[in-house]
Amino acid sequence: MEIHKIEGIIEAVLFAAGDAISVDKLSDITKIDKPTLQSIITRLADKYDTEKRGIKIIKIGDKYQMATKDEFSEYIQKIVPPQKRNPLSNATLEVLAIVAYKQPVTRSTIEKIRGVNSDNSVTRLVEIGLIEETGKLNAPGRPALFCTTDDFLRSFAIESISSLPPIDGFIIDDDGQTTLGSGED
Amino acid sequence: MKQISFKLEIFEGPLDLLLHLINKNKLSLYDIPIFEITEQYIDYLAEMEHFDIEVSSEFLVIAAHLLYIKSKMLLPKYDEDAADEDDPQVELAQRLIEYKRFKQASLFFREREFAGGLTFYKMQEYIQPMLIDESLSQVELSHLYGAISEVAERIKYRRPISNSRFKAVAGKEVVSVFSRVKAILSKLKRFNRVCFSDIFKGMKTKSEAVASFLAVLELIKLNRIKIMKKDGKSELRYVKGKC
């Protein structure tokens, strides 16, 4: 199959689906192996970029989705009024960080790391759809396991969990201060 | 009454408070002076109570742990034992480092919290399914006309079905066993004895014969007649005293 045709198929399928489509599914549709397909999608995404189009193709975990480019947000806001949300509390954000790096993770693991009960934060994160219960740990009491969602990747503009900076990269130097981040407090 | 001259900070938990104390005193996480920190930690808890803030059990757990480490340090150490045991001080330091990492990772997420807000996505929506013309797609009016003409032609040349064709279905005459019983009994009345084969004389249908045979069996069962052998022939006779 010609590369242009494959690009066309991917474009059409992503447009029709709206929602994110996995590489597996796209590979199924086009009968093209995944590595080749991924490079074709990357090429297509680059094309959108260089041709100054209004849309882009983004990667969410192992899925691809069409989205509008950030630079046009002010125009889109004229047809889609923005939704407001209060920033997450420090505690909730800490829980989110733990889930993001330690997933799948139980409530008790989160509590152990933070040294304080975190059920409210977990509930809040599930409520706003940033984390979800993905199963049960095969241990006494069968505690729920939590993972981050595609919505988490989308709203934090993170490509995939594996693309997060390594947790050990948040260095604590000898005087117990400073980090990769822009400082504390 | 003692004047309160400072602001009480709110912490996310006991580990957060410990980190704050270590930070405030510019101490190293890898070498925590347990004595000072424990003292400051417990002072803080006392102040929380002073402010009427409920000290949750989690703060007390860490306070107890600090006191445990402190008491352990006061006791003389025996080297051969120490090698086996996990040093609670090291353990605490590791817990603090891990917590601090996540605390700092949370700052990374704080920066990005609304990063995706400028991008718009469509969620899975209703997709108008493709309408497919199924199998009749090639049929035209002329095809339909041709088909009906063919059927009409076939009907035209068909002869009316003869009555004999229906005989097997509709021509069956129902012969009741009871009617044959009556016939056999009247014959016996007239001739006193009847040859078995005579009963079936002049019979046209299978059902008549079957009904007659069943009638004979029925009469025998009811003990009204009996079958006798005479000159190599079977004869039907009345059972005595039953006429």
Side-chain angles (χ1 to χ4, degrees):
Chain A
M1 222 185 317
E2 249 186 288
I3 206 155
H4 283 101
K5 191 179 175 189
I6 300 162
E7 280 184 0
I9 294 168
I10 293 161
E11 198 173 27
V13 168
L14 289 182
F15 170 80
D19 208 356
I21 300 285
S22 68
V23 189
D24 286 342
K25 185 92 187 171
L26 288 171
S27 172
D28 233 34
I29 294 168
T30 53
K31 308 267 179 265
I32 304 276
D33 64 288
K34 283 190 266 178
T36 314
L37 197 64
Q38 265 161 333
S39 66
I40 293 171
I41 297 171
T42 311
R43 217 182 83 123
L44 182 63
D46 286 347
K47 232 192 239 182
Y48 280 135
D49 223 30
T50 51
E51 289 176 13
K52 305 248 175 279
R53 310 292 285 265
I55 47 172
K56 60 179 176 182
I57 293 174
I58 51 145
K59 201 174 176 202
I60 304 152
D62 66 338
K63 296 172 185 166
Y64 289 96
Q65 186 170 22
M66 274 192 181
T68 62
K69 282 186 185 166
D70 294 7
E71 61 211 82
F72 302 113
S73 66
E74 58 174 303
Y75 306 102
I76 297 159
Q77 276 172 28
K78 293 195 161 69
I79 55 161
V80 186
Q83 209 181 351
K84 285 168 189 153
R85 196 197 77 202
N86 284 331
L88 299 171
S89 70
N90 290 336
T92 305
L93 214 55
E94 278 177 31
V95 172
L96 184 63
I98 293 166
V99 176
Y101 279 101
K102 289 252 170 182
Q103 60 185 306
V105 71
T106 61
R107 281 193 180 89
S108 73
T109 308
I110 298 168
E111 186 171 335
K112 207 176 155 204
I113 291 170
R114 297 191 63 236
V116 67
N117 183 294
S118 307
D119 290 356
N120 287 339
S121 293
V122 171
T123 308
R124 168 97 179 112
L125 288 168
V126 170
E127 244 170 43
I128 57 181
L130 293 177
I131 66 170
E132 65 188 347
E133 196 187 314
T134 51
K136 306 270 186 195
L137 185 69
N138 205 2
R142 298 188 48 77
L145 288 166
F146 293 92
C147 286
T148 53
T149 61
D150 285 351
D151 259 354
F152 160 75
L153 295 177
R154 274 191 283 255
S155 53
F156 284 75
I158 294 164
E159 203 172 85
S160 65
I161 291 302
S162 55
S163 72
L164 286 173
I167 187 70
D168 295 340
F170 295 99
I171 303 153
I172 296 169
D173 58 23
D174 242 16
D175 53 8
Q177 300 196 34
T178 32
T179 57
L180 189 100
S182 56
E184 212 181 349
D185 300 327
Chain B
M1 194 181 159
K2 200 177 127 192
Q3 193 80 34
I4 296 144
S5 57
F6 54 88
K7 202 177 113 213
L8 198 72
E9 275 187 73
I10 300 297
F11 297 98
E12 297 299 340
L15 297 178
D16 199 25
L17 170 58
L18 266 182
L19 281 179
H20 168 78
L21 294 176
I22 290 161
N23 220 15
K24 200 178 80 179
N25 294 301
K26 302 206 180 334
L27 301 168
S28 168
L29 270 176
Y30 296 97
D31 186 24
I32 306 165
I34 291 294
F35 293 85
E36 288 169 44
I37 287 296
T38 306
E39 202 173 311
Q40 288 190 19
Y41 185 90
I42 290 168
D43 279 353
Y44 183 85
L45 295 195
E47 260 153 43
M48 276 172 87
E49 279 183 334
H50 194 87
F51 275 86
D52 251 358
I53 296 170
E54 204 186 325
V55 177
S56 64
S57 57
E58 289 116 344
F59 282 91
L60 299 177
V61 168
I62 295 293
H65 194 67
L66 286 170
L67 289 171
Y68 165 70
I69 297 169
K70 190 173 154 185
S71 63
K72 221 177 163 209
M73 286 167 81
L74 290 171
L75 292 169
K77 254 187 213 161
Y78 298 102
D79 277 357
E80 57 266 33
D81 286 354
D84 293 346
E85 275 177 64
D86 288 331
D87 187 346
Q89 200 178 349
V90 172
E91 221 176 293
L92 180 69
Q94 279 167 350
R95 257 189 98 179
L96 283 171
I97 289 163
E98 187 180 32
Y99 174 64
K100 187 158 186 180
R101 283 208 169 110
F102 283 112
K103 205 171 150 56
Q104 276 155 354
S106 80
L107 297 174
F108 165 80
F109 289 114
R110 172 69 77 208
E111 278 168 31
R112 309 188 66 91
E113 194 179 352
F114 296 100
L118 297 175
T119 314
F120 290 79
Y121 307 88
K122 278 179 184 287
M123 291 295 125
Q124 169 80 62
E125 55 193 307
Y126 174 75
I127 304 172
Q128 175 73 51
M130 189 164 51
L131 204 57
I132 296 172
D133 205 344
E134 203 188 26
S135 70
L136 291 176
S137 56
Q138 303 306 315
V139 177
E140 284 169 30
L141 189 61
S142 62
H143 290 106
L144 286 177
Y145 181 75
I148 193 72
S149 308
E150 210 177 295
V151 171
E153 207 64 1
R154 239 187 282 153
I155 287 166
K156 208 168 162 184
Y157 290 111
R158 192 176 283 172
R159 269 191 227 147
I161 299 158
S162 66
N163 284 337
S164 63
R165 296 279 296 274
F166 288 106
K167 254 197 169 162
V169 189
K172 241 176 207 162
E173 198 188 337
V174 179
V175 183
S176 71
V177 173
F178 182 65
S179 70
R180 297 311 298 160
V181 166
K182 278 211 299 199
I184 291 165
L185 286 180
S186 67
K187 255 188 189 165
L188 275 173
K189 226 174 199 173
R190 256 196 289 161
F191 305 110
N192 214 10
R193 58 179 69 168
V194 178
C195 187
F196 181 71
S197 56
D198 286 350
I199 292 171
F200 301 97
K201 254 184 196 159
M203 283 196 175
K204 285 182 188 116
T205 64
K206 206 189 274 175
S207 52
E208 230 178 330
V210 170
S212 298
F213 183 68
L214 288 174
V216 171
L217 293 179
E218 189 67 22
L219 285 167
I220 293 167
K221 193 180 115 192
L222 292 171
N223 211 15
R224 297 285 296 272
I225 61 166
K226 56 182 178 182
I227 291 185
M228 313 272 286
K229 276 261 185 195
K230 207 180 176 192
D231 307 327
K233 282 181 181 177
S234 300
E235 263 184 13
L236 303 183
R237 283 193 198 175
Y238 271 123
V239 172
K240 270 176 194 147
K242 288 266 174 181
C243 20

